[in-house]
Amino acid sequence: MAAQGARPMRRRLLEAGQEEVYLHGFQGTSLGAILHRAGATKGAFFHYFATKKAFGYAIVDEVVAQMITAQWVTPLRGSHDPLETISAEFERGIEALKVQRPILGCPLNNLAQEMNPLDAGFRDRTTRVFRTWQEAYRGALARAQQHRIVLAALDPGDAAHMLVAQIEGTLSLARNTQDPATLTAGARALRSYLTAIRAPGH
C-alpha cells in the first residue's frame, strides 16, 4: 500500500482503471471498482476527470499508448536486428499471457474492438496508437533494408501492417480459445515469417 500511495493519485487512478478495463471491458467497469482498486475517493476521481469517458480517453492516451511504446517503439529504436527484436519481444510478452487465467489478450485491441464502433473518440485514439506501433515496425524494417538485413523486394509498410495484424490475430485467438498453445503457435508462425523476409546471409 505504501508503494501505491507513493504514486501520484491521477496515475494511480489511470493504472487501476486500465486493470479494471482489461478484466471487464470499459462498459463493464464500474467507478466503484476503479476507486477500490486505486484506494481513492469519488471526489479525487472527479477532480481529475470530468466523466468516465474522459477517463477512458486518458487510459488510451497515457497508459495503453505507453505500453505499446515500451514493448515496441523503444526496443526497435535502438535495435541492430529488428527481425530478432520483434520475435523476442513478442515471445517475452506471451510468456506473461500464458500464465493469465483467463487469457485476456491485448489491452489495446480489446478496447478498440469494444468501443471503436460506438465512439469516435476511442476510435481516433486507439487508431493513433496502432499507427504508432505500425510505424515503429515500418521504420525499423526500412532501416534494416538499408543495411541489407531484410529482403530488398519487401515493402516495409505492407510488412508492418501484416505483422501487427498477425500479432493481434494471435492474441485474439488465444483470448477465444483460452489455450496457451495458441500463443506458442502464433509466436512460431511470426518467427517463421520474419525468417522468410531476412536477406540471405543475415
Side-chain angles (χ1 to χ4, degrees):
M1 197 71 177
Q4 185 186 68
R7 296 200 308 284
M9 176 57 72
R10 187 175 186 280
R11 186 67 189 180
R12 277 166 53 190
L13 285 163
L14 287 171
E15 290 175 356
Q18 165 55 26
E19 289 166 4
E20 286 294 322
V21 169
Y22 191 37
L23 284 167
H24 305 295
F26 182 74
Q27 296 173 96
T29 292
S30 69
L31 178 57
I34 295 166
L35 297 179
H36 179 75
R37 187 182 285 269
T41 64
K42 189 178 289 188
F45 181 92
F46 286 109
H47 174 73
Y48 294 108
F49 308 101
T51 63
K52 184 185 175 187
K53 185 183 287 188
F55 179 65
Y57 292 168
I59 287 174
V60 178
D61 291 340
E62 300 178 41
V63 182
V64 177
Q66 188 176 74
M67 291 165 61
I68 294 298
T69 295
Q71 183 169 15
W72 299 118
V73 180
T74 302
L76 283 170
R77 192 177 288 139
S79 174
H80 297 295
D81 186 346
L83 303 181
E84 179 57 33
T85 297
I86 291 169
S87 285
E89 284 296 318
F90 185 58
E91 288 161 5
R92 183 180 64 81
I94 67 168
E95 287 308 310
L97 290 179
K98 281 181 181 179
V99 298
Q100 274 188 356
R101 292 298 179 272
I103 296 172
L104 296 172
C106 173
L108 172 61
N109 197 42
N110 293 354
L111 192 53
Q113 291 291 321
E114 178 191 5
M115 296 305 298
N116 286 11
L118 307 176
D119 185 87
F122 276 102
R123 184 164 59 251
D124 291 344
R125 285 167 172 81
T126 57
T127 298
R128 192 157 53 239
V129 179
F130 275 119
R131 283 177 181 155
T132 297
W133 179 3
Q134 199 167 316
E135 178 56 27
Y137 280 2
R138 190 208 62 76
L141 292 170
R143 290 191 300 274
Q145 214 168 31
Q146 292 171 358
H147 291 96
R148 299 181 182 179
I149 296 169
V150 169
L151 293 172
L154 184 79
D155 183 306
D158 287 352
H161 177 95
M162 199 288 304
L163 285 166
V164 172
Q166 184 173 354
I167 287 170
E168 289 293 34
T170 292
L171 298 182
S172 293
L173 285 172
R175 188 178 185 217
N176 181 62
T177 64
Q178 290 299 305
D179 183 356
T182 306
L183 296 167
T184 303
R188 188 170 60 246
L190 182 72
R191 191 170 277 277
S192 293
Y193 171 74
L194 292 169
T195 297
I197 66 172
R198 185 179 290 278
H202 288 275

